Amino acid sequence: MSGSTGTNVEKSKAPAYTGRFAVPRNASNAEEDEIPLMETFGVVPRTFNKKDYLEVQNVELFKQQHEKNKKEHHTDRYFNNKLIIRRGQTFNVRIDFNRPYNPEKDQFWLEYLIGRHPQQSKGTYIPIPIVEELEVGKWGAKIILNDYNSVTLSILSVPNCIIGKFRMYIAVLTPHGILRTSRMSNTDTYILFNPWCKGKAIAFWNFSIHMCRLLYVTPLACL
């Protein structure tokens, strides 16, 4: 046997994803990554008890065909039990907690994620902060009613948001980490283009009107 085989050096394999594609591309709304229910800040003391902090009991999306969100977003003719909204337009969400929300000591926000490997820079991970006033062109949630254990939010999306099915989480800040709700398929949200919104999507106005007509008779499963 030739001795040259002993000098062969195995070529290192090039990374599968480089540059802008350092993570796999998303190809389907159905693909998901699990996210941690708790992100800790260092060592968590043994005395830490999640029950001592704000805890989400229920999320109401007003997603029935006769309710506010679908009526105002012109999606009430979709026969689908998910929340279906249009980007660049406000919608309402009510969150029921285990106790009254105190803005002076409690801090929470919503998160929308789509696909695998969600990243804020790519618009696939969207943290939605609680703000005093909503601002066009920015994601934000304004408290419009704080009633006992329930908080009702008016949420504004950006007009160039990615179109697709997002999964929703609610995050609560504690001194020892971030607590999230578990995966809840009933809070999945379809975000569609919006021919009634003239924001940054105005260039697609005529195209969106045409597609909107088509989608009234096209199943959401095709999205």
Side-chain angles (χ1 to χ4, degrees):
M1 181 180 293
S2 171
S4 60
T5 56
T7 61
N8 287 342
V9 178
E10 184 178 354
K11 295 182 179 180
S12 61
K13 295 182 179 179
Y17 306 98
T18 59
R20 291 185 302 163
F21 306 112
V23 296
R25 302 182 190 182
N26 285 310
S28 170
N29 287 334
E31 296 179 350
E32 296 184 8
D33 277 342
E34 293 184 5
I35 64 171
L37 297 184
M38 182 174 183
E39 292 184 35
T40 59
F41 304 148
V43 179
V44 178
R46 293 184 179 181
T47 55
F48 176 77
N49 187 349
K50 295 180 181 179
K51 300 293 183 180
D52 294 336
Y53 302 97
L54 208 59
E55 182 180 10
V56 177
Q57 302 291 310
N58 181 59
V59 180
E60 173 59 53
L61 300 183
F62 308 105
K63 58 185 178 179
Q64 300 304 315
Q65 287 178 277
H66 64 276
E67 292 184 294
K68 178 183 177 70
N69 285 335
K70 285 191 174 179
K71 285 287 187 181
E72 292 188 352
H73 286 252
H74 306 279
T75 58
D76 53 303
R77 291 175 62 184
Y78 288 114
F79 293 96
N80 189 292
N81 62 359
K82 303 292 187 186
L83 175 62
I84 310 169
I85 57 173
R86 299 186 183 277
R87 60 189 185 180
Q89 186 174 339
T90 58
F91 61 99
N92 290 355
V93 169
R94 190 189 74 222
I95 305 172
D96 300 329
F97 294 109
N98 60 326
R99 60 168 174 78
Y101 163 70
N102 184 347
E104 294 184 359
K105 69 174 186 178
D106 296 324
Q107 185 176 349
F108 75 94
W109 61 92
L110 283 75
E111 297 175 330
Y112 266 137
L113 292 80
I114 188 171
R116 298 176 60 203
H117 312 289
Q119 299 177 55
Q120 189 170 355
S121 61
K122 296 183 181 297
T124 51
Y125 165 69
I126 305 170
I128 307 174
I130 306 300
V131 296
E132 291 291 332
E133 295 295 335
L134 299 175
E135 185 177 345
V136 175
K138 292 184 178 180
W139 279 93
K142 179 182 178 180
I143 297 175
I144 57 175
L145 181 63
N146 187 1
D147 183 24
Y148 190 52
N149 287 12
S150 298
V151 171
T152 302
L153 304 171
S154 176
I155 302 173
L156 179 63
S157 62
V158 295
N160 59 348
C161 172
I162 291 175
I163 292 172
K165 185 177 76 171
F166 287 78
R167 50 196 188 275
M168 176 192 289
Y169 296 88
I170 299 169
V172 175
L173 182 66
T174 77
H176 306 292
I178 299 171
L179 301 177
R180 284 191 180 86
T181 51
S182 57
R183 176 75 173 91
M184 300 180 293
S185 60
N186 63 318
T187 61
D188 288 350
T189 303
Y190 284 98
I191 299 181
L192 309 181
F193 50 75
N194 192 349
W196 291 274
C197 174
K198 296 184 179 181
K200 295 181 180 178
I202 191 169
F204 303 102
W205 181 269
N206 292 331
F207 173 76
S208 296
I209 287 288
H210 172 68
M211 289 301 295
C212 183
R213 291 168 181 161
L214 290 179
L215 281 176
Y216 262 127
V217 293
T218 303
L220 281 174
C222 296
L223 292 178

